[in-house]
Amino acid sequence: MNDEHAAGPSSDRQRLHDDLTARIETLRRRKDSAEAEIAALWADCALDAVDAGSTRAAVAEARVRADETRGQLEQALAARRRLDDGTFGSCVSCGAPVDRERMLAVPHTELCVSCRRDHESRRAPARAAPPGR
């Protein structure tokens, strides 16, 4: 964590680094497993339409798992890079400190609370005005 912001003892930094490294390895194994499952499903050639349909559905589910895992892996790798380069604990958007407890609980957090709220409000679909207004 950035020493001037969400600073904690060096034991926090080491624990976070170790936790992120373990998470990265777990996510890599999970991603590789999902990708191997996709390949195995396609290799198991279906002979009838029912088998082909169930194979396509299983491949689609495995792709979703692989994509989700890839995203989580990218977040963990980015967090470890920030930890290694000394920017961990600073908001990647505004540079403000990110709360230490938040960083310890969710190490892949990139944004301070204020920027997270702004980001989520921009992503939320606009609500239509009730009829008659």
Side-chain angles (χ1 to χ4, degrees):
M1 286 180 284
N2 192 321
D3 291 335
E4 63 192 53
H5 294 147
S10 63
S11 61
D12 283 352
R13 293 180 68 79
Q14 187 59 51
R15 187 189 72 168
L16 283 167
H17 192 277
D18 293 347
D19 289 351
L20 284 167
T21 298
R23 180 163 173 72
I24 288 165
E25 292 310 313
T26 298
L27 290 167
R28 281 184 176 148
R29 283 191 301 275
R30 194 178 301 161
K31 178 186 72 69
D32 292 347
S33 175
E35 290 171 349
E37 180 183 355
I38 292 167
L41 285 165
W42 282 127
D44 184 23
C45 217
L47 299 177
D48 63 36
V50 172
D51 286 343
S54 64
T55 296
R56 281 192 295 276
V59 166
E61 289 175 23
R63 280 193 179 135
V64 166
R65 283 194 309 276
D67 290 345
E68 288 173 354
T69 302
R70 258 187 233 102
Q72 293 169 356
L73 177 58
E74 289 170 12
Q75 287 178 332
L77 287 166
R80 191 172 66 182
R81 276 192 303 274
R82 288 191 309 277
L83 188 62
D84 290 342
D85 71 15
T87 61
F88 190 82
S90 296
C91 178
V92 298
S93 180
C94 72
V98 177
D99 182 67
R100 177 178 179 266
E101 287 76 27
R102 180 179 166 125
M103 295 306 302
L104 291 173
V106 188
H108 61 271
T109 297
E110 296 182 55
L111 302 172
C112 66
V113 173
S114 177
C115 288
R116 171 58 68 195
R117 281 190 197 124
D118 290 346
H119 177 73
E120 288 174 358
S121 69
R122 284 192 304 270
R123 285 184 32 194
R127 296 193 177 176
R133 291 195 181 192

